[in-house]
Amino acid sequence: TDGGGGAVGLGYALAGRIDMPYPEVFGVARSGNMALVANGLGGVQIVDIANYDAPYHIGFIRPAGYTRDVAFFEQYAVIAARS
C-alpha cells in the first residue's frame, strides 16, 4: 500500500504506546498477550498487550550485558546479550 509521501509498504495504525527505560529497541517477541522487548542496557522489558490502547509494563529481566534480541522458544524466553 502507499503510505503517503511516496512511501510504499504495509499500512499500520498506532493504537497505544509505552515508554522504555532506554531509547533503543533491538527486538520484540510476542506470545499471546505478552510482548518481550530487547531494550539494550534496560534488559528485556515485559509488556502486557491485552489492551492495545493501554499496554501495561509488567516488569523486566536483567541479563548480564547489553540485550540485543529476544525470542520465544516453546515456553522459554531466549535472550541474546553481550557483555
Side-chain angles (χ1 to χ4, degrees), residues 8 15 29 34 36 40 46 57 65 67 74-75 80:
V8 177
M34 181 171 46
L36 302 180
I46 306 165
H57 186 255
T67 306
E74 296 176 358
Q75 74 270 24

Side-chain angles (χ1 to χ4, degrees), residues 1 3 5 7 17 29 31 33-34 38 43 45-46 51 55 63 75-76 82:
T1 63
R17 63 171 285 150
S31 179
N33 290 329
M34 181 171 46
Q45 302 301 314
I46 306 165
N51 180 356
Q75 74 270 24
Y76 301 101
R82 67 173 172 84

Side-chain angles (χ1 to χ4, degrees), residues 40-44 60-69 79-83:
L41 291 172
V44 175
F60 63 93
I61 302 167
R62 184 70 55 98
Y66 192 82
T67 306
R68 300 290 297 183
D69 205 358
I79 300 167
R82 67 173 172 84
S83 55

Side-chain angles (χ1 to χ4, degrees), residues 14-68:
L14 180 63
R17 63 171 285 150
I18 190 166
D19 291 328
M20 296 285 123
Y22 290 86
E24 302 89 12
V25 172
F26 295 103
V28 177
R30 176 185 174 185
S31 179
N33 290 329
M34 181 171 46
L36 302 180
V37 181
N39 190 223
L41 291 172
V44 175
Q45 302 301 314
I46 306 165
V47 181
D48 181 346
I49 56 172
N51 180 356
Y52 289 143
D53 292 326
Y56 179 74
H57 186 255
I58 296 172
F60 63 93
I61 302 167
R62 184 70 55 98
Y66 192 82
T67 306
R68 300 290 297 183

